Amino acid sequence: GAVVSQHPSRVICKSGTSVKIECRSLDFQATTMFWYRQFPKQSLMLMATSNEGSKATYEQGVEKDKFLINHASLTLSTLTVTSAHPEDSSFYICSAQETRAFFGQGTRLTVV
Amino acid sequence: GENVEQHPSTLSVQEGDSAVIKCTYSDSASNYFPWYKQELGKRPQLIIDIRSNVGEKKDQRIAVTLNKTAKHFSLHITETQPEDSAVYFCAASENSGYSTLTFGKGTMLLVSP
């Protein structure tokens, strides 16, 4: 299947700092990518839909000023967690779809 | 919007037994139903999917059935093995290409040797 690469896989940051997570589709172009958040032992919760060349669409309850999404090319979307706090600690996963959805390996964010 | 219910939340079986996980969906416009397997700390991996023009699909020990009238679909794993232990998610969407996937809450499958 298609390959989606996400980096970093793990990151620890201090409260108040910002963290950028990259999601790349390696062998296909993705006009749309999706960002999910997953809490321990829970399902994937859609945060936002990233659209190449336009603004992202955020799900209800997700702060767009806190979770900045940029989809500048057909193979790269980035999620920046701004002014991170401990409650932002979670597993973030992106996906890109080419007839089927393929997921990045996820990023474990720990805010201390 | 779409709502996907998944049952059971946990399932324990003995190696060699079969396992069945069931999902229901609410939006009659949904026509694509994938199943993902997620091991702890790893990405969800697509294991099988089905589209609404098909009632059943099989891939070795894994099969999926779809009943569009009743709006439910099921994952069947036969001859389970310990390496099948993981969390399984069902999902639904209107279009496999670009539409948002709505996930069920997941089923933790434990296969005991």
Side-chain angles (χ1 to χ4, degrees), chain B residues 55-68:
Chain B
E56 183 174 357
K57 185 177 178 180
K58 189 174 182 180
D59 183 3
Q60 298 183 336
R61 297 186 296 109
I62 295 173
V64 58
T65 58
L66 171 65
N67 183 327
K68 283 223 71 177

Side-chain angles (χ1 to χ4, degrees), chain B residues 15-68:
Chain B
E15 182 176 1
D17 289 348
S18 295
V20 180
I21 303 171
K22 298 181 179 181
C23 289
T24 60
Y25 62 98
S26 61
D27 190 347
S28 57
S30 291
N31 56 22
Y32 175 66
F33 308 93
W35 286 87
Y36 290 87
K37 174 184 179 182
Q38 186 180 28
E39 297 177 358
L40 188 62
K42 297 187 176 180
R43 77 181 85 194
Q45 297 272 15
L46 178 69
I47 55 172
I48 196 167
D49 57 10
I50 191 167
R51 290 174 171 81
S52 61
N53 58 345
V54 175
E56 183 174 357
K57 185 177 178 180
K58 189 174 182 180
D59 183 3
Q60 298 183 336
R61 297 186 296 109
I62 295 173
V64 58
T65 58
L66 171 65
N67 183 327
K68 283 223 71 177

Side-chain angles (χ1 to χ4, degrees), chain B residues 15-17 61 77-85 111:
Chain B
E15 182 176 1
D17 289 348
R61 297 186 296 109
I77 305 175
T78 58
E79 300 173 31
T80 54
Q81 301 166 3
E83 50 265 39
D84 294 329
S85 297
V111 181

